[in-house]
Amino acid sequence: MTIDTMTTTDHQPVPAGLRLVDRFERGLDAPICLTWELTYACNLACVHCLSSSGRRDPRELTTEECKALIDEFERMQIFYVNIGGGEPTIRSDFWELVDYATEHHVGVKFSTNGSRITPEVATRLASSDYVDVQISLDGATPEVNDAVRGDGTFATAMTAMDRLASAGFTGFKLSVVVTRHNVTQLDAFKAIADRYQAQLRLTRLRPAGRGADTWDELHPTADQQRLLYDWLVAHGDSVLTGDSFFHLAGYGEALPGLNLCGAGRVVCLVDPVGDVYACPFAIHDEFLAGNVRSLGGFTDVWRSSELFTELRAPQSPGACGSCGHYDACRGGCMAAKFFTGLPLDGPDPECVLGHGEAALLGRGDVETPRPFPDHSASPRKVAVALSPSRRPDRTCDENPLAGFAVDVDPTR
């Protein structure tokens, strides 16, 4: 499927002459970008983890079910999938599935914390034209990164990148979730990426998964949002964002990309047990479209689910309709609004004009939706603070509280 041969989910050719954003709003016959979480198992416990990963779900798709799903992707002409988790390399059949995908014309980009990028794995990756790797790093220094991802994780990620570079792998991705603690390190992140001939990818922090408990403390301030916007305007052509920051378009100039919420239109998530969600950042029953194990499989869910049909219909701008910036920011991120208890047709909680902040203050005692399911090794409510004096814990410790200054109510 090329831009010239795109069809909508009712198999009608996409009308010529439309802007890409107008084409994509109607939903395509196959997703452009599909995220596939292979497992919730993880050897880390990042405090902002979207999927609250830690423990494996015993209902995970089997190897054969995964291969059958890849067969569907091939038939739908999905060019590549973003594989994540959890830590996807923990699955014993990970490389078998990667090989199967590439043999069936489905490219793979997988996200990893780098803990299993051995010299041998790096050499294997460097020899493939159809597999890309994304190393996660949330601080350009150990102090900032390790407060979010765990002690020793900065060194682990840097070692992984050293090994990829030594094997001759260039062009891999350095993936950063932007927080108030690392937003001033954007130049340093870019320098790290350039050093390895890698590409920097910035992602917005969402209040989903364990991030629901840490978003208030970690999301960039209003002044930092402006700093981020100005930096992206200056560097956007050389930095990937996955359209994470289209809510910032209210500042003026649109950022590179579609600047569109693609949930259920051009993107979706398949989780480890085969559930299909409209958005990788919205793992909640409210955004569950179906399951690949059902009759008709993933293809039927993508093309016929009630939820996706609703998302592809014309959307009301709601409270944002009278704003002159609506055509640019489209009201912002659906997941960010949902998990902060704001209406989906209301302003983004980080609206650059301040409307989201006012809406948050006006919520009253509304109970915000809780992420579901939670696979944390020790699901408890936590408060996180940078603490450079923390003593190191065992690197295999899966407790999300390990090494952090926390305020824990054991009754919660």
Side-chain angles (χ1 to χ4, degrees):
M1 182 181 68
T2 67
I3 296 292
D4 294 331
T5 61
M6 286 180 180
T7 58
T8 57
T9 47
D10 58 2
H11 304 291
Q12 297 300 310
V14 176
L18 288 179
R19 297 177 305 164
L20 280 179
V21 67
D22 296 320
R23 299 184 187 197
F24 292 166
E25 276 188 319
R26 300 177 55 181
L28 298 179
D29 202 41
I32 288 178
C33 178
L34 183 144
T35 298
W36 185 7
E37 310 285 31
L38 273 184
T39 183
Y40 285 125
C42 191
N43 56 329
L44 301 184
C46 302
V47 300
H48 58 4
C49 179
L50 288 169
S51 56
S52 300
S53 291
R55 295 170 294 153
R56 175 184 173 272
D57 192 311
R59 301 170 299 155
E60 280 180 4
L61 298 177
T62 66
T63 301
E64 291 310 311
E65 286 176 318
C66 288
K67 289 181 177 180
L69 186 54
I70 292 168
D71 290 339
E72 279 197 80
F73 295 161
E74 182 182 21
R75 288 193 295 271
M76 294 177 75
Q77 298 183 54
I78 295 176
F79 298 136
Y80 75 94
V81 294
N82 292 314
I83 291 181
E87 172 54 44
T89 60
I90 285 179
R91 273 193 65 138
S92 60
D93 59 359
F94 174 74
W95 291 110
E96 180 181 353
L97 294 175
V98 168
D99 288 343
Y100 189 84
T102 57
E103 289 165 3
H104 288 75
H105 313 104
V106 178
V108 170
K109 176 166 65 180
F110 72 93
S111 298
T112 177
N113 56 44
S115 60
R116 292 174 176 244
I117 303 295
T118 63
E120 294 75 22
V121 166
T123 299
R124 175 176 186 161
L125 290 169
S127 66
S128 174
D129 293 329
Y130 300 100
V131 181
D132 195 10
V133 60
Q134 187 165 276
I135 305 293
S136 297
L137 191 72
D138 291 326
T141 58
E143 175 189 350
V144 175
N145 177 83
D146 292 7
V148 171
R149 303 187 63 81
D151 286 297
T153 53
F154 180 86
T156 296
M158 297 300 289
T159 298
M161 288 189 283
D162 285 337
R163 289 171 174 169
L164 290 171
S166 295
F169 193 143
T170 59
F172 61 86
K173 310 301 184 289
L174 172 60
S175 180
V176 177
V177 177
V178 179
T179 70
R180 69 179 55 176
H181 299 303
N182 68 22
V183 70
T184 57
Q185 298 183 322
L186 296 177
D187 286 336
F189 283 122
K190 184 69 166 58
I192 292 173
D194 290 346
R195 185 195 319 163
Y196 290 104
Q197 299 181 62
Q199 188 166 22
L200 179 61
R201 183 178 189 273
L202 301 180
T203 303
R204 183 182 179 186
L205 175 72
R206 266 82 167 192
R210 283 197 290 272
D213 290 328
T214 57
W215 186 80
D216 286 338
E217 301 152 73
L218 291 180
H219 79 96
T221 65
D223 288 343
Q224 289 175 334
Q225 295 275 9
R226 182 64 202 226
L227 183 155
L228 171 62
Y229 171 78
D230 290 340
W231 194 90
L232 288 172
V233 169
H235 298 85
D237 290 337
S238 62
V239 175
L240 300 175
T241 64
D243 289 303
S244 283
F245 303 106
F246 60 90
H247 70 293
L248 300 179
Y251 282 127
E253 182 181 346
L255 297 171
L258 289 175
N259 289 300
L260 164 75
C261 173
R265 300 179 177 100
V266 295
V267 303
C268 70
L269 168 83
V270 179
D271 85 346
V273 301
D275 283 337
V276 182
Y277 294 90
C279 171
F281 307 112
I283 304 177
H284 188 280
D285 283 349
E286 191 78 12
F287 303 103
L288 177 60
N291 189 283
V292 302
R293 285 170 164 149
S294 62
L295 186 66
F298 173 77
T299 306
D300 187 62
V301 174
W302 175 258
R303 295 176 179 169
S304 306
S305 78
E306 183 178 343
L307 173 65
F308 287 175
T309 300
E310 180 181 340
L311 289 172
R312 293 160 186 162
Q315 302 294 308
S316 167
C320 295
S322 60
C323 177
H325 297 290
Y326 177 76
D327 284 343
C329 81
R330 302 297 180 108
C333 173
M334 175 181 73
K337 289 186 274 192
F338 179 77
F339 285 115
T340 52
L342 299 182
L344 297 185
D345 63 352
D348 187 287
E350 293 179 304
C351 167
V352 301
L353 301 181
H355 299 314
E357 185 177 1
L360 290 174
L361 291 174
R363 287 176 304 178
D365 296 327
V366 63
E367 185 175 351
T368 56
R370 298 300 303 163
F372 180 84
D374 191 335
H375 292 88
S376 300
S378 179
R380 286 182 283 178
K381 204 163 189 171
V382 301
V384 180
L386 281 176
S387 179
S389 61
R390 293 182 287 120
R391 292 178 298 174
D393 293 274
R394 292 179 298 114
T395 57
C396 62
D397 199 332
E398 294 184 3
N399 183 350
L401 308 180
F404 287 98
V406 296
D407 177 17
V408 181
D409 179 352
T411 65
R412 283 184 278 189

Coordinates of all heavy atoms in Angstrom, one line a residue, residues 178-250:
V178 N 9.9 13.0 27.1 CA 10.3 14.4 27.6 C 9.6 14.6 29.0 O 8.3 14.5 29.1 CB 9.9 15.5 26.6 CG1 10.2 16.8 27.2 CG2 10.6 15.2 25.3
T179 N 10.4 15.0 30.0 CA 9.8 15.3 31.3 C 10.4 16.6 31.8 O 11.3 17.2 31.1 CB 10.3 14.2 32.4 OG1 11.7 14.4 32.6 CG2 10.0 12.8 31.9
R180 N 9.9 17.1 32.9 CA 10.4 18.4 33.3 C 11.8 18.4 33.8 O 12.5 19.4 34.0 CB 9.5 19.0 34.5 CG 9.5 18.2 35.8 CD 8.6 18.9 36.8 NE 7.3 19.0 36.3 CZ 6.2 19.5 37.0 NH1 6.4 19.9 38.2 NH2 5.0 19.5 36.5
H181 N 12.3 17.1 34.1 CA 13.7 17.0 34.5 C 14.7 16.9 33.4 O 15.9 17.1 33.6 CB 13.8 15.8 35.5 CG 13.0 15.9 36.7 ND1 13.1 16.9 37.6 CD2 12.0 15.1 37.2 CE1 12.2 16.8 38.5 NE2 11.5 15.7 38.3
N182 N 14.2 16.5 32.2 CA 15.2 16.3 31.1 C 15.0 17.2 29.9 O 15.7 17.3 29.0 CB 15.2 14.8 30.6 CG 13.9 14.4 29.9 OD1 13.1 15.3 29.4 ND2 13.6 13.1 29.8
V183 N 13.9 18.1 30.0 CA 13.6 19.0 28.9 C 14.7 20.0 28.6 O 14.9 20.5 27.5 CB 12.3 19.7 29.1 CG1 12.4 20.7 30.2 CG2 11.8 20.3 27.8
T184 N 15.5 20.3 29.7 CA 16.7 21.2 29.5 C 17.9 20.5 28.9 O 18.9 21.1 28.7 CB 17.0 21.9 30.8 OG1 17.3 20.9 31.8 CG2 15.9 22.7 31.3
Q185 N 17.8 19.1 28.7 CA 18.9 18.4 28.2 C 18.7 18.0 26.7 O 19.4 17.1 26.2 CB 19.0 17.1 29.0 CG 19.3 17.3 30.5 CD 19.5 16.0 31.2 OE1 18.8 15.0 31.0 NE2 20.4 15.9 32.1
L186 N 17.8 18.7 26.0 CA 17.5 18.3 24.6 C 18.8 18.4 23.8 O 19.0 17.5 22.9 CB 16.4 19.2 24.0 CG 15.1 19.1 24.7 CD1 14.1 20.1 24.1 CD2 14.5 17.6 24.6
D187 N 19.6 19.4 23.9 CA 20.8 19.5 23.2 C 21.8 18.4 23.5 O 22.4 17.8 22.6 CB 21.5 20.8 23.4 CG 20.8 22.0 22.8 OD1 20.1 21.8 21.8 OD2 21.0 23.2 23.3
A188 N 21.8 18.0 24.8 CA 22.7 16.9 25.2 C 22.2 15.5 24.6 O 23.0 14.7 24.1 CB 22.7 16.8 26.7
F189 N 20.9 15.3 24.5 CA 20.3 14.1 23.9 C 20.7 14.1 22.4 O 21.1 13.1 21.9 CB 18.8 14.1 24.0 CG 18.3 13.6 25.4 CD1 17.5 14.5 26.1 CD2 18.7 12.4 25.9 CE1 17.0 14.1 27.3 CE2 18.2 12.0 27.1 CZ 17.4 12.9 27.9
K190 N 20.6 15.2 21.7 CA 20.9 15.3 20.3 C 22.4 15.0 20.1 O 22.8 14.3 19.1 CB 20.6 16.7 19.8 CG 20.8 16.9 18.3 CD 19.8 16.1 17.5 CE 19.7 16.5 16.0 NZ 21.0 16.4 15.3
A191 N 23.2 15.5 21.0 CA 24.7 15.3 20.9 C 25.0 13.8 21.1 O 25.8 13.2 20.4 CB 25.4 16.1 21.9
I192 N 24.3 13.1 22.0 CA 24.5 11.7 22.2 C 24.1 10.9 20.9 O 24.8 10.1 20.4 CB 23.7 11.1 23.4 CG1 24.2 11.7 24.7 CG2 23.7 9.6 23.4 CD1 23.4 11.4 25.9
A193 N 22.9 11.3 20.3 CA 22.4 10.6 19.1 C 23.4 10.9 18.0 O 23.8 9.9 17.2 CB 21.1 11.1 18.7
D194 N 23.9 12.1 17.8 CA 24.8 12.4 16.7 C 26.2 11.6 16.9 O 26.8 11.2 15.9 CB 25.1 13.9 16.7 CG 23.9 14.7 16.3 OD1 23.0 14.1 15.7 OD2 23.9 15.9 16.4
R195 N 26.6 11.5 18.2 CA 27.8 10.8 18.4 C 27.8 9.3 17.9 O 28.8 8.8 17.4 CB 28.1 10.7 19.9 CG 29.5 10.1 20.3 CD 29.5 9.8 21.8 NE 28.9 10.8 22.6 CZ 28.6 10.6 23.9 NH1 28.7 9.4 24.5 NH2 28.0 11.6 24.6
Y196 N 26.6 8.7 18.0 CA 26.5 7.3 17.5 C 25.9 7.2 16.1 O 25.5 6.1 15.7 CB 25.6 6.6 18.5 CG 26.2 6.3 19.8 CD1 25.8 7.1 21.0 CD2 27.2 5.3 20.0 CE1 26.4 6.8 22.2 CE2 27.7 5.1 21.2 CZ 27.4 5.8 22.3 OH 27.9 5.6 23.6
Q197 N 25.8 8.4 15.4 CA 25.1 8.4 14.1 C 23.7 7.8 14.2 O 23.3 7.0 13.3 CB 26.0 7.7 13.1 CG 27.3 8.3 12.8 CD 28.1 7.6 11.8 OE1 27.7 7.5 10.6 NE2 29.3 7.0 12.1
A198 N 23.0 8.1 15.3 CA 21.7 7.6 15.5 C 20.7 8.8 15.3 O 21.1 9.9 15.0 CB 21.6 7.1 17.0
Q199 N 19.4 8.5 15.5 CA 18.4 9.5 15.3 C 17.6 9.7 16.6 O 17.2 8.7 17.2 CB 17.5 9.2 14.2 CG 16.5 10.3 13.8 CD 15.8 10.1 12.5 OE1 15.7 9.0 12.0 NE2 15.3 11.2 11.9
L200 N 17.5 10.9 17.0 CA 16.8 11.2 18.3 C 15.3 11.2 18.0 O 14.8 11.7 17.0 CB 17.2 12.6 18.8 CG 16.5 13.1 20.1 CD1 16.8 12.2 21.2 CD2 17.0 14.5 20.4
R201 N 14.6 10.5 18.9 CA 13.1 10.4 18.9 C 12.6 10.9 20.2 O 12.9 10.3 21.3 CB 12.6 9.0 18.6 CG 11.1 8.9 18.4 CD 10.7 7.5 18.1 NE 9.3 7.4 17.8 CZ 8.3 7.2 18.7 NH1 8.6 7.1 20.0 NH2 7.1 7.2 18.3
L202 N 11.8 11.9 20.2 CA 11.2 12.5 21.4 C 9.7 12.1 21.5 O 9.0 12.2 20.5 CB 11.3 14.0 21.4 CG 12.7 14.6 21.4 CD1 12.7 16.1 21.4 CD2 13.5 14.1 22.5
T203 N 9.2 11.7 22.7 CA 7.9 11.3 22.9 C 7.3 12.1 24.0 O 8.0 12.4 25.0 CB 7.8 9.8 23.2 OG1 8.4 9.1 22.1 CG2 6.3 9.4 23.3
R204 N 6.0 12.4 23.9 CA 5.3 13.1 25.0 C 5.0 12.2 26.2 O 4.6 11.0 26.0 CB 4.0 13.7 24.4 CG 3.2 14.5 25.5 CD 1.9 15.0 24.9 NE 1.2 15.8 25.8 CZ 0.0 16.3 25.6 NH1 -0.6 16.1 24.5 NH2 -0.6 17.0 26.6
L205 N 5.1 12.7 27.4 CA 4.8 12.0 28.6 C 3.2 12.0 28.7 O 2.6 13.1 28.7 CB 5.4 12.6 29.8 CG 5.0 12.0 31.2 CD1 5.6 10.7 31.4 CD2 5.4 13.0 32.3
R206 N 2.6 10.8 28.8 CA 1.2 10.7 29.0 C 0.9 10.2 30.4 O 1.6 9.5 31.0 CB 0.6 9.8 28.0 CG 0.0 10.4 26.7 CD 1.1 10.7 25.7 NE 0.5 11.0 24.4 CZ 1.3 11.1 23.3 NH1 2.6 10.8 23.3 NH2 0.7 11.4 22.2
P207 N -0.3 10.7 31.0 CA -0.7 10.2 32.3 C -1.3 8.8 32.3 O -2.4 8.6 32.8 CB -1.7 11.3 32.7 CG -2.3 11.8 31.4 CD -1.2 11.7 30.4
A208 N -0.7 7.9 31.6 CA -1.3 6.5 31.4 C -0.3 5.5 32.1 O 0.8 5.8 32.4 CB -1.4 6.2 29.9
G209 N -0.9 4.4 32.4 CA -0.1 3.3 33.1 C 0.4 3.9 34.4 O -0.3 4.6 35.2
R210 N 1.7 3.6 34.8 CA 2.2 4.1 36.0 C 2.4 5.6 35.9 O 2.6 6.3 36.9 CB 3.5 3.4 36.4 CG 3.3 2.1 37.0 CD 4.6 1.6 37.7 NE 5.7 1.2 36.8 CZ 5.8 0.0 36.2 NH1 5.0 -0.9 36.4 NH2 6.9 -0.2 35.4
G211 N 2.4 6.2 34.7 CA 2.5 7.6 34.5 C 1.3 8.3 35.1 O 1.4 9.6 35.3
A212 N 0.2 7.7 35.3 CA -0.9 8.3 35.9 C -0.6 8.8 37.3 O -1.1 9.8 37.8 CB -2.1 7.4 36.0
D213 N 0.3 8.1 38.0 CA 0.7 8.5 39.4 C 1.8 9.5 39.4 O 2.1 10.1 40.5 CB 1.0 7.2 40.2 CG -0.2 6.4 40.5 OD1 -1.3 6.9 40.7 OD2 0.0 5.1 40.6
T214 N 2.5 9.6 38.3 CA 3.7 10.5 38.4 C 3.6 11.7 37.4 O 4.5 12.5 37.4 CB 5.0 9.7 38.0 OG1 4.8 9.0 36.7 CG2 5.2 8.6 39.0
W215 N 2.5 11.8 36.6 CA 2.4 12.8 35.6 C 2.5 14.2 36.2 O 3.1 15.1 35.7 CB 1.1 12.6 34.9 CG 0.9 13.6 33.7 CD1 1.5 13.4 32.5 CD2 0.1 14.7 33.7 NE1 1.1 14.5 31.6 CE2 0.2 15.3 32.4 CE3 -0.7 15.4 34.6 CZ2 -0.4 16.5 32.0 CZ3 -1.3 16.6 34.2 CH2 -1.2 17.1 32.9
D216 N 1.8 14.4 37.4 CA 1.8 15.7 38.0 C 3.2 16.2 38.3 O 3.5 17.4 38.2 CB 0.9 15.7 39.3 CG -0.6 15.7 39.0 OD1 -1.0 16.1 37.8 OD2 -1.3 15.3 39.8
E217 N 4.0 15.2 38.7 CA 5.4 15.6 39.1 C 6.4 15.6 37.9 O 7.4 16.3 38.0 CB 5.9 14.6 40.1 CG 5.1 14.5 41.4 CD 5.2 13.1 42.0 OE1 6.2 12.8 42.6 OE2 4.2 12.3 41.9
L218 N 6.1 14.9 36.8 CA 7.0 14.8 35.7 C 6.7 15.6 34.5 O 7.6 15.9 33.7 CB 7.1 13.3 35.4 CG 7.8 12.4 36.4 CD1 7.9 10.9 35.9 CD2 9.2 12.9 36.7
H219 N 5.5 15.9 34.2 CA 5.2 16.6 32.9 C 5.8 18.0 32.9 O 5.8 18.7 33.9 CB 3.7 16.5 32.6 CG 2.9 17.6 33.3 ND1 2.5 18.8 32.7 CD2 2.3 17.6 34.6 CE1 1.8 19.5 33.6 NE2 1.7 18.8 34.7
P220 N 6.2 18.4 31.8 CA 6.9 19.7 31.7 C 5.9 20.9 32.1 O 4.7 20.8 31.9 CB 7.3 19.9 30.2 CG 7.4 18.4 29.7 CD 6.3 17.7 30.5
T221 N 6.5 21.9 32.7 CA 5.8 23.1 33.0 C 5.4 23.9 31.8 O 5.9 23.6 30.7 CB 6.6 24.0 34.0 OG1 7.7 24.5 33.3 CG2 7.1 23.2 35.2
A222 N 4.5 24.9 32.0 CA 4.1 25.7 30.8 C 5.3 26.4 30.2 O 5.5 26.4 28.9 CB 3.1 26.8 31.3
D223 N 6.2 26.9 31.0 CA 7.4 27.6 30.4 C 8.3 26.5 29.7 O 8.9 26.8 28.6 CB 8.3 28.2 31.5 CG 7.6 29.5 32.1 OD1 6.7 30.0 31.4 OD2 8.0 29.9 33.2
Q224 N 8.4 25.3 30.2 CA 9.2 24.3 29.5 C 8.5 23.8 28.2 O 9.2 23.4 27.3 CB 9.4 23.1 30.5 CG 10.3 23.4 31.7 CD 10.4 22.3 32.6 OE1 9.4 21.5 32.8 NE2 11.5 22.2 33.4
Q225 N 7.2 23.8 28.2 CA 6.5 23.5 27.0 C 6.9 24.4 25.8 O 7.1 24.0 24.7 CB 4.9 23.5 27.1 CG 4.4 22.5 28.1 CD 4.1 21.2 27.5 OE1 4.5 20.9 26.4 NE2 3.5 20.3 28.2
R226 N 7.0 25.7 26.2 CA 7.4 26.7 25.2 C 8.9 26.5 24.8 O 9.2 26.5 23.6 CB 7.3 28.1 25.7 CG 7.7 29.2 24.7 CD 6.7 29.2 23.6 NE 7.2 29.8 22.3 CZ 6.6 30.6 21.6 NH1 5.4 31.0 21.9 NH2 7.1 31.1 20.5
L227 N 9.7 26.1 25.7 CA 11.1 25.8 25.4 C 11.2 24.6 24.5 O 11.9 24.6 23.5 CB 11.9 25.5 26.7 CG 13.4 25.2 26.7 CD1 14.0 25.5 28.0 CD2 13.6 23.7 26.4
L228 N 10.3 23.6 24.7 CA 10.3 22.4 23.9 C 9.8 22.7 22.5 O 10.4 22.3 21.5 CB 9.4 21.3 24.5 CG 9.1 20.1 23.7 CD1 10.3 19.3 23.4 CD2 8.0 19.2 24.4
Y229 N 8.8 23.5 22.4 CA 8.3 23.9 21.1 C 9.3 24.7 20.3 O 9.5 24.3 19.1 CB 7.0 24.8 21.3 CG 6.5 25.4 20.0 CD1 5.8 24.7 19.1 CD2 6.8 26.8 19.7 CE1 5.4 25.3 17.9 CE2 6.4 27.3 18.5 CZ 5.7 26.6 17.6 OH 5.2 27.2 16.4
D230 N 10.0 25.6 20.9 CA 11.0 26.4 20.1 C 12.1 25.5 19.7 O 12.7 25.6 18.6 CB 11.5 27.5 21.0 CG 10.5 28.6 21.2 OD1 9.6 28.7 20.5 OD2 10.7 29.4 22.2
W231 N 12.5 24.5 20.5 CA 13.6 23.6 20.2 C 13.1 22.7 19.0 O 13.9 22.5 18.1 CB 13.9 22.8 21.4 CG 15.2 22.0 21.2 CD1 16.5 22.5 21.6 CD2 15.4 20.7 20.7 NE1 17.4 21.5 21.3 CE2 16.8 20.4 20.7 CE3 14.6 19.7 20.2 CZ2 17.4 19.2 20.3 CZ3 15.1 18.6 19.7 CH2 16.5 18.3 19.8
L232 N 11.9 22.2 19.0 CA 11.4 21.4 17.9 C 11.3 22.2 16.6 O 11.5 21.6 15.6 CB 10.1 20.8 18.3 CG 10.1 19.7 19.4 CD1 8.7 19.3 19.8 CD2 10.8 18.4 18.9
V233 N 10.9 23.4 16.7 CA 10.8 24.2 15.5 C 12.2 24.3 14.9 O 12.4 24.3 13.6 CB 10.2 25.6 15.8 CG1 10.4 26.5 14.6 CG2 8.8 25.5 16.1
A234 N 13.2 24.5 15.7 CA 14.6 24.6 15.2 C 15.2 23.3 14.8 O 16.1 23.3 13.9 CB 15.5 25.3 16.3
H235 N 14.8 22.2 15.3 CA 15.4 20.9 15.0 C 14.5 19.9 14.5 O 14.9 18.7 14.2 CB 16.0 20.3 16.3 CG 17.1 21.2 16.9 ND1 16.8 22.2 17.8 CD2 18.5 21.1 16.8 CE1 18.0 22.8 18.2 NE2 19.0 22.1 17.6
G236 N 13.2 20.2 14.2 CA 12.2 19.2 13.9 C 12.5 18.4 12.7 O 12.1 17.2 12.7
D237 N 13.2 18.9 11.7 CA 13.5 18.1 10.5 C 14.4 17.0 10.8 O 14.5 16.0 10.0 CB 14.0 19.0 9.4 CG 13.0 19.9 8.8 OD1 11.8 19.6 9.0 OD2 13.3 21.0 8.3
S238 N 15.2 17.0 11.8 CA 16.2 16.0 12.1 C 15.8 15.2 13.4 O 16.6 14.3 13.8 CB 17.6 16.6 12.3 OG 17.6 17.5 13.4
V239 N 14.7 15.4 13.9 CA 14.2 14.7 15.1 C 12.9 14.1 14.9 O 12.0 14.8 14.4 CB 14.2 15.7 16.3 CG1 13.6 15.0 17.6 CG2 15.6 16.3 16.7
L240 N 12.7 12.9 15.3 CA 11.4 12.2 15.2 C 10.5 12.5 16.4 O 11.1 12.6 17.5 CB 11.6 10.7 15.0 CG 12.4 10.2 13.8 CD1 12.6 8.7 13.9 CD2 11.7 10.6 12.5
T241 N 9.2 12.6 16.2 CA 8.3 12.8 17.3 C 7.1 11.9 17.3 O 6.4 11.8 18.3 CB 7.8 14.3 17.4 OG1 7.0 14.5 16.2 CG2 9.0 15.3 17.4
G242 N 6.8 11.3 16.2 CA 5.6 10.5 16.1 C 4.4 11.3 16.3 O 3.4 10.8 16.8
D243 N 4.4 12.6 16.0 CA 3.3 13.5 16.2 C 2.9 13.6 17.6 O 1.7 13.7 17.9 CB 2.1 13.1 15.3 CG 2.3 13.4 13.8 OD1 2.6 14.5 13.5 OD2 2.3 12.4 13.0
S244 N 3.8 13.4 18.5 CA 3.5 13.5 20.0 C 3.1 14.9 20.4 O 2.4 15.0 21.4 CB 4.7 13.0 20.8 OG 4.9 11.6 20.8
F245 N 3.6 15.9 19.7 CA 3.5 17.3 20.3 C 2.6 18.2 19.5 O 2.8 19.4 19.5 CB 4.9 17.8 20.4 CG 5.8 17.0 21.3 CD1 6.8 16.2 20.7 CD2 5.6 16.9 22.6 CE1 7.6 15.4 21.5 CE2 6.5 16.1 23.4 CZ 7.5 15.4 22.8
F246 N 1.6 17.7 18.8 CA 0.8 18.6 18.0 C -0.1 19.5 18.8 O -0.6 20.5 18.4 CB -0.1 17.8 17.0 CG -1.1 16.8 17.6 CD1 -2.4 17.2 17.9 CD2 -0.7 15.5 17.8 CE1 -3.3 16.3 18.5 CE2 -1.6 14.6 18.4 CZ -2.9 15.0 18.7
H247 N -0.2 19.2 20.1 CA -0.9 20.1 21.0 C -0.1 21.4 21.2 O -0.7 22.4 21.6 CB -1.1 19.5 22.4 CG 0.2 19.3 23.2 ND1 1.2 18.4 22.8 CD2 0.6 19.9 24.4 CE1 2.1 18.5 23.7 NE2 1.8 19.4 24.7
L248 N 1.1 21.5 20.8 CA 1.9 22.7 20.9 C 1.7 23.6 19.7 O 2.3 24.8 19.7 CB 3.4 22.4 21.0 CG 3.9 21.5 22.2 CD1 5.4 21.2 22.2 CD2 3.5 22.2 23.6
A249 N 1.0 23.2 18.7 CA 0.8 24.0 17.5 C 0.1 25.3 17.8 O 0.2 26.3 17.0 CB 0.1 23.2 16.5
G250 N -0.5 25.4 19.0 CA -1.2 26.7 19.3 C -0.2 27.8 19.5 O -0.6 29.0 19.5

